[in-house]
Amino acid sequence: MNDNKNMILAVLLSVLVLVGWSFVSEKFLPTPRPQASQSAKPVAAGTPQTQAGQAPAAAAQLRARAQVIASTPRVRFETPSLRGSINLKGARIDDVVMLKHRIGTEANAAPVPLLSPQGARAASFIGFGWNGDGIAAPGPDTLWQASEPTLTPGKPVTLSWTSPSGQLFELNIAVDDLYLFTVTQKVTNAGSAPITLRPYGFASRAGRSADVASPNSHIGPISLINGVANYKVTWQAVREAGSQGKSVDQGTGWLGFTDKYWLTALAPKAPMAGAFRQSGNGAYQADFMGPPATLMPGQSSTFETQVFSGAKEKAALDRYENAGITKLSKSIDWGWFEWFMRPIFNLLRWLFAVTGNFGVAIICLTFIVRLIMYPIADKQFKSMAAMRKVQPKMKAIQERFKDDKPRQQQEIMQLYKTEKINPAAGCLPILLQIPIFYALYKVLLVSVEMRHKPFALWIHDLSAPDPLTPVNLFGLLHFTPPHILAIGVLPILVGATQWLTIKLSPQAMDPTQQQMMAIMPWVMVFIFAPFAAGLQLYYVTNNLLTLLQQWWLYKRYDLHFSDTHPVTT
């Protein structure tokens, strides 16, 4: 294969297979935008089977988040990663703010709120309870008593409530320094008769995520049961199932809701029966039921659940996996090349730790990739040099057997074998770059570690598109152009460096190939415009290194543009 065909393969495979479908699906076939959370009310608490289907209380106007929080008694908590409170009315974890992540890139941007109480905009909360016949179990209006006014790492708080028939219900809540709550449900039968009940837990949210799912990134209901992650349950599937719920496989694992960067997941320590539901007012719920327990008078029963509520930071997910939450890192939708993405991401994170700048880390990663692939490129140019030497023989064969194409091809293949030439040597570097390109694309798409990370100059967020565009004269004209037309500086550099690479390569003799190669760089400008600046930076750096490597290898093997025209076979 010649260089021009290789370039076409690179563009078609890398862009169309790995990027093109995502671009088309997100730009022209987008997932419908979520319903406004103002019109949706959280699910009323009850048993998991019924709470999603219950009619909500009388409609009330949404209030400011701080106002709703101040209206009920609470247990406060603050850790190095989280700040918030637990609502003693209903014993809900409904106030969680992530201190390490900000809403915007501004220095004074507020931290990201992850959970909010019922009655506030975008309400989302976690609750626990018991279901049993013939007993008075705590409900959404139950006012619990707290053993301490504050919750801190290493100092859990116990919430308690005693039913009229003498059963003591307790929730022991602990929090660590990252994003994990541990909730132990305990019930003691202080009555005079045996009781049978089942513990449950639920995560409720008022509406769909503001993030939009795509073929490359799952957003919405998510579960991992018996070691198998399920990304197939969509908002629509839950909506169609309604209050009856869409069940997940029974077993051990976790379930909850994932956004692009955030996760709320319930991980019971014992086998569970879980489901996702939606009520008629638009609220979504993930819930589970634990195994039933029969308690004789004086007996107690406990049930422990770990609750992850925070950012999908790879280090945190790995830490909790090692602590017993099975494959929690699967909450990141790694995609096709998971086996390759994880090492790429770990290397990128290590380079960031060394350099202190994710943009510099991406450039360093590109150098490392090119260095690893250099022997293959060297072999490719060596093959090109050999091809140049046998061109007279190939032309003689083509002339001799011009009316017998099968024989011509047979003789050329025999010539390759005799001269020890591999005509497919140029394909290998391209095939190896595809998983690297896709892995970096996915890392930039789903990794919260990249979110709001600056590079230099005008690039303040490597996970967002390049904001500097000549369409509005680089900000001098005060209007925001349509997203597909907001072509930044980096996408323009992608096209320019691609054009240079093609211009300095041997020109194809086929007019169709020449037209494709002339148009492709400028098509790529528009294709790359909506993608993350980090990916654009990688591609520009890769093109520049390709030019340098090409110059060196041409010089090493005494090749010249004029004498490396492809030979049509």
Side-chain angles (χ1 to χ4, degrees):
M1 293 186 183
N2 56 61
D3 275 1
N4 295 283
K5 289 182 179 179
N6 291 343
M7 186 65 69
I8 293 172
L9 278 173
V11 172
L12 293 179
L13 291 175
S14 296
V15 176
L16 296 181
V17 175
L18 301 179
V19 179
W21 168 244
S22 175
F23 173 76
V24 170
S25 63
E26 291 183 29
K27 296 299 171 187
F28 302 107
L29 298 171
T31 303
R33 299 300 301 182
Q35 300 171 1
S37 59
Q38 297 95 316
S39 63
K41 294 181 65 179
V43 175
T47 66
Q49 290 89 342
T50 61
Q51 67 188 42
Q54 288 179 352
Q61 293 294 324
L62 292 174
R63 294 178 292 165
R65 186 176 184 275
Q67 185 180 3
V68 178
I69 291 172
S71 67
T72 55
R74 293 178 172 270
V75 172
R76 307 288 171 176
F77 63 83
E78 183 163 353
T79 75
S81 303
L82 300 177
R83 181 179 65 223
S85 59
I86 300 169
N87 193 346
L88 291 179
K89 184 178 180 180
R92 294 173 173 175
I93 304 174
D94 63 358
D95 171 23
V96 173
V97 174
M98 295 177 289
L99 301 178
K100 296 179 180 178
H101 299 276
R102 303 283 167 170
I103 293 175
T105 56
E106 303 83 6
N108 61 346
V112 174
L114 183 58
L115 301 183
S116 297
Q118 184 174 1
R121 188 182 304 274
S124 179
F125 52 86
I126 296 165
F128 297 89
W130 291 263
N131 179 29
D133 295 329
I135 63 169
D141 296 321
T142 298
L143 190 61
W144 295 70
Q145 299 297 315
S147 61
E148 299 289 341
T150 58
L151 169 65
T152 57
K155 294 183 179 180
V157 168
T158 299
L159 310 185
S160 59
W161 178 78
T162 303
S163 70
S165 55
Q167 284 78 39
L168 174 62
F169 295 90
E170 295 177 293
L171 294 174
N172 182 274
I173 304 175
V175 66
D176 69 0
D177 60 332
L178 282 175
Y179 305 118
L180 193 72
F181 295 87
T182 301
V183 180
T184 303
Q185 298 172 252
K186 181 180 180 181
V187 58
T188 302
N189 184 9
S192 58
I195 59 172
T196 300
L197 70 175
R198 300 180 70 179
Y200 68 79
F202 66 91
S204 175
R205 58 186 302 161
R208 292 168 54 181
S209 171
D211 298 327
V212 179
S214 74
N216 287 314
S217 180
H218 175 74
I219 305 295
I222 187 171
S223 63
L224 185 140
I225 307 296
N226 299 327
V228 179
N230 185 353
Y231 306 113
K232 296 180 181 179
V233 180
T234 62
W235 298 113
Q236 180 178 352
V238 176
R239 185 168 61 251
E240 291 172 353
S243 61
Q244 295 301 312
K246 188 169 185 63
S247 299
V248 300
D249 293 336
Q250 295 192 26
T252 57
W254 50 267
L255 81 169
F257 296 105
T258 182
D259 299 288
K260 184 175 182 179
Y261 298 122
W262 327 123
L263 172 70
T264 297
L266 308 172
K269 284 292 188 72
M272 65 171 172
F276 296 100
R277 316 172 197 279
Q278 189 194 37
S279 68
N281 54 44
Y284 292 87
Q285 178 177 288
D287 57 55
F288 70 86
M289 291 283 289
T294 299
L295 303 179
M296 303 302 291
Q299 289 185 329
S300 298
S301 175
T302 61
F303 188 85
E304 184 176 317
T305 303
Q306 292 175 300
V307 179
F308 182 95
S309 186
K312 293 190 289 186
E313 299 166 4
K314 180 63 165 48
L317 299 176
D318 288 344
R319 167 176 159 178
Y320 295 132
E321 278 190 4
N322 295 332
I325 303 181
T326 306
K327 297 183 180 180
L328 189 61
S329 64
K330 284 282 194 176
S331 59
I332 299 175
D333 184 1
W334 295 100
W336 302 342
F337 294 106
E338 178 180 358
W339 59 274
F340 196 72
M341 282 183 63
R342 288 178 181 260
I344 288 287
F345 177 72
N346 290 334
L347 175 59
L348 195 59
R349 192 173 61 178
W350 179 81
L351 289 171
F352 170 67
V354 172
T355 63
N357 184 296
F358 255 117
V360 175
I362 290 171
I363 293 174
C364 291
L365 175 67
T366 314
F367 270 90
I368 292 172
V369 170
R370 299 301 302 189
L371 185 63
I372 292 173
M373 295 179 61
Y374 176 79
I376 301 172
D378 183 72
K379 187 175 181 180
Q380 175 190 5
F381 271 75
K382 186 177 180 180
S383 177
M384 286 175 57
M387 290 281 287
R388 183 190 64 172
K389 293 179 181 179
V390 301
Q391 276 190 12
K393 295 181 181 179
M394 291 181 66
K395 289 181 179 179
I397 292 173
Q398 290 173 334
E399 182 65 26
R400 183 178 177 184
F401 299 103
K402 61 182 178 180
D403 296 325
D404 188 353
K405 294 297 182 181
R407 179 67 184 277
Q408 180 189 117
Q409 189 66 26
Q410 182 181 358
E411 292 294 328
I412 289 175
M413 295 306 295
Q414 182 60 42
L415 178 64
Y416 287 156
K417 185 177 180 180
T418 303
E419 299 292 337
K420 298 181 179 180
I421 296 173
N422 180 9
C427 297
L428 188 57
I430 297 161
L431 295 177
L432 290 177
Q433 281 199 67
I434 289 175
I436 295 172
F437 179 83
Y438 182 74
L440 185 62
Y441 165 66
K442 282 284 289 184
V443 164
L444 289 166
L445 181 70
V446 303
S447 171
V448 68
E449 285 83 356
M450 295 284 184
R451 181 179 181 268
H452 291 176
K453 290 298 188 295
F455 170 47
L457 301 175
W458 69 93
I459 305 297
H460 302 299
D461 185 357
L462 285 164
S463 67
D466 184 346
L468 200 62
T469 172
V471 177
N472 62 5
L473 297 182
F474 305 105
L476 293 178
L477 300 179
H478 298 289
F479 79 94
T480 302
H483 191 62
I484 196 170
L485 296 179
I487 302 170
V489 173
L490 284 177
I492 293 173
L493 289 176
V494 167
T497 53
Q498 191 71 57
W499 176 83
L500 222 89
T501 302
I502 296 172
K503 195 70 174 176
L504 298 181
S505 299
Q507 297 300 305
M509 291 188 295
D510 182 1
T512 302
Q513 287 188 30
Q514 290 181 2
Q515 292 176 3
M516 287 183 62
M517 302 311 292
I519 295 172
M520 188 58 68
W522 314 119
V523 172
M524 292 181 69
V525 171
F526 289 90
I527 290 177
F528 270 80
F531 291 114
L535 187 68
Q536 299 164 358
L537 177 63
Y538 166 81
Y539 215 84
V540 170
T541 306
N542 185 67
N543 284 346
L544 292 174
L545 291 177
T546 298
L547 289 171
L548 289 174
Q549 178 179 271
Q550 187 175 343
W551 169 82
W552 164 250
L553 290 174
Y554 269 107
K555 183 177 180 181
R556 179 177 182 181
Y557 289 104
D558 194 27
L559 291 168
H560 304 281
F561 302 137
S562 59
D563 60 11
T564 54
H565 287 290
V567 177
T568 304
T569 59

